[in-house]
């Protein structure tokens, strides 16, 4: 299990920086217990819906809809050529009413709407349900709604604070160094944005995925109640299960630098350019990466004056633009 906040109380923004620097998931009990939407969630599904619809301005939203046979696990189809659900787009109010209509019914479809941007869809929600903990970070809130669901083990490139407003969630997390034991699916054709583990966590096939036992030995779990929150560092793999008939979660993503979005792309390009080389060539390029990227031996350009460090200098907006242009020229080569 993941322990509660090591701070011993709900942290302020300054103390939370220490949590971030620990680079480990942390449960923060009661962080948002005073939110109006949490109070509504403790009352009824209808109260949550009324609270959300109070901010609705008619924006459209997308939901995943799957048959009851998928057991709430949104995933690939058995032949891997598609997915086991369909995407439906419509007005947010219609989506919410549809979800209400199926809550708790036998044989009901699985419904999941994720990462709905409140700034555009529900203006005023963030002000009514504030999170001072993230003061100073560019981390707008997003809403996640649905009935019982399973979002398979995946990672995010951004740090994340997820707050349960209604229902209950179970998080199962794996440290980044367990990636080789998770049997990751396609990097570019994904269920909902990020690559996912092919292993069904709640019923693992150890004959097909034997190393997954090692991942389970390193796993951490936490069940999050209304008003509670969890901090998940970037690149920590996690499965998220919504356990109640109706669930509402609010999350916040933020990046530690403007380069965060490009890191996964850089890895994919490196895999194409280097991953299929003979072992000794990969090892040689590994030494390059260890020196210039991972800096295992210290600053690789400490012997150069700052004005001569070029692409390995301190990142600035101007240097980022130069590097993008430099890389674009290289990518145009046959």
């Amino acid at each position: 299990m993941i322990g509660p906040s090591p701070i011993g109380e709900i942290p302020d923004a300054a103390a939370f920086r220490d949590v971030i620097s620990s680079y480990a998931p942390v449960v923060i009990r009661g962080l948002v217990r005073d939110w109006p939407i949490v109070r509504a969630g403790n009352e009824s599904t209808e109260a949550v819906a009324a609270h959300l619809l109070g901010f609705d301005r008619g924006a459209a939203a997308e939901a995943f809809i799957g048959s009851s046979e998928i057991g709430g696990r949104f995933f690939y189809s058995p032949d891997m050529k598609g997915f086991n659900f369909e995407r439906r787009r419509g007005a947010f109010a219609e989506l919410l009413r549809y979800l209400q209509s199926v809550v708790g019914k036998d044989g009901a479809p699985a419904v999941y709407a994720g990462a709905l941007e409140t700034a555009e869809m529900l203006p005023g929600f963030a002000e009514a349900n504030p999170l001072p903990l993230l003061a100073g970070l560019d981390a707008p809130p997003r809403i996640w709604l649905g009935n019982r669901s399973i979002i398979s083990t995946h990672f995010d490139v951004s740090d994340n604070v997820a707050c349960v407003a209604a229902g209950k969630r179970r998080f199962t997390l794996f440290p980044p160094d367990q990636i080789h034991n998770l049997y990751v699916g396609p990097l570019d054709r994904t269920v909902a944005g990020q690559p996912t583990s092919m292993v069904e966590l709640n019923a693992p096939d150890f004959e097909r995925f034997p190393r997954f036992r090692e991942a389970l030995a390193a796993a951490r779990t936490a069940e999050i109640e209304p008003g509670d929150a969890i901090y998940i560092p970037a690149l920590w793999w996690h499965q998220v299960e919504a356990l109640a008939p109706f669930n509402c979660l609010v999350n916040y993503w933020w990046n530690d630098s403007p380069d965060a979005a490009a890191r996964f792309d850089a890895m994919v390009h490196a895999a194409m350019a280097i991953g299929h080389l003979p072992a000794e060539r990969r090892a040689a390029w590994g030494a390059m990466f260890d020196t210039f990227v991972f800096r295992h031996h210290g600053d690789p350009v400490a012997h150069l004056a700052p004005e001569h460090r070029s692409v390995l200098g301190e990142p600035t907006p101007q240097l980022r633009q130069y590097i993008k242009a430099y890389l674009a020229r290289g990518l145009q080569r046959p």
Side-chain angles (χ1 to χ4, degrees):
M1 296 290 290
I2 301 171
S5 168
I7 298 166
E9 58 185 16
I10 297 175
D12 59 20
F16 185 61
R17 299 301 184 272
D18 294 332
V19 174
I20 295 174
S21 66
S22 72
Y23 197 60
V26 171
V27 171
I28 309 173
R29 300 290 181 193
L31 178 66
V32 296
R33 62 191 171 210
D34 295 326
W35 274 1
I37 193 172
V38 173
R39 293 198 296 269
N42 289 330
E43 182 180 335
S44 67
T45 299
E46 290 72 21
V48 175
H51 180 79
L52 293 174
L53 291 175
F55 303 102
D56 180 43
R57 298 297 180 269
E62 183 179 79
F64 295 177
I65 311 293
S67 70
S68 59
E69 283 74 23
I70 73 173
R73 184 177 183 243
F74 294 92
F75 203 63
Y76 294 98
S77 59
D79 62 6
M80 289 286 292
K81 294 180 179 180
F83 304 100
N84 66 356
F85 59 90
E86 62 175 304
R87 289 175 166 86
R88 294 185 192 173
R89 191 166 181 82
F92 173 78
E94 293 176 0
L95 161 65
L96 188 52
R97 292 190 184 103
Y98 175 72
L99 173 59
Q100 285 181 277
S101 73
V102 301
V103 166
K105 291 187 176 180
D106 292 337
V111 181
Y112 170 79
L116 305 180
E117 299 181 9
T118 61
E120 298 178 5
M121 193 167 299
L122 304 171
F125 175 87
E127 290 73 20
N129 299 275
L131 190 59
L133 181 73
L134 302 183
L137 296 174
D138 182 15
R142 298 168 185 262
I143 294 280
W144 307 69
L145 293 164
N147 50 11
R148 298 182 191 275
S149 64
I150 299 173
I151 305 306
S152 295
T153 306
H154 65 285
F155 72 91
D156 296 312
V157 296
S158 306
D159 284 72
N160 182 15
V161 166
C163 309
V164 170
K168 186 177 182 179
R169 304 257 173 169
R170 178 187 296 125
F171 290 80
T172 304
L173 302 103
F174 302 89
D177 63 6
Q178 289 300 309
I179 183 172
H180 63 291
N181 293 323
L182 294 176
Y183 298 92
V184 178
L187 299 185
D188 58 329
R189 188 170 54 83
T190 65
V191 176
Q194 298 297 343
T196 61
S197 169
M198 296 301 297
V199 185
E200 188 171 356
L201 176 62
N202 295 334
D205 181 348
F206 292 119
E207 186 171 324
R208 182 181 176 191
F209 307 116
R211 293 196 312 275
F212 190 66
R213 294 182 189 275
E214 297 179 44
L216 284 176
R220 308 183 189 187
T221 61
E223 292 191 356
I224 310 300
E225 305 276 356
D228 295 340
I230 183 171
Y231 164 64
I232 305 175
L235 303 187
W236 271 74
W237 293 77
H238 50 285
Q239 174 169 293
V240 186
E241 299 174 70
L243 303 175
F246 175 82
N247 301 273
C248 178
L249 179 138
V250 181
N251 96 297
Y252 303 78
W253 282 313
W254 69 94
N255 293 321
D256 56 6
S257 86
D259 306 311
R263 292 168 189 163
F264 185 79
D265 297 336
M267 185 196 69
V268 170
H269 189 259
M272 178 193 74
I274 298 170
H276 300 284
L277 293 175
E280 65 277 6
R281 302 291 177 123
R282 293 199 308 273
W285 279 105
M288 288 269 201
F289 274 67
D290 285 346
T291 296
F292 294 118
V293 178
F294 304 118
R295 305 196 171 199
H296 287 173
H297 312 290
D299 185 349
V301 289
H303 57 286
L304 296 175
E307 64 269 22
H308 298 308
R309 293 174 184 177
S310 189
V311 297
L312 294 177
E314 286 296 316
T316 64
Q318 295 78 15
L319 181 58
R320 288 186 173 94
Q321 288 301 317
Y322 170 78
I323 291 175
K324 288 178 181 178
Y326 171 81
L327 292 174
R329 291 194 298 271
L331 289 171
Q332 291 171 0
R333 302 186 192 113

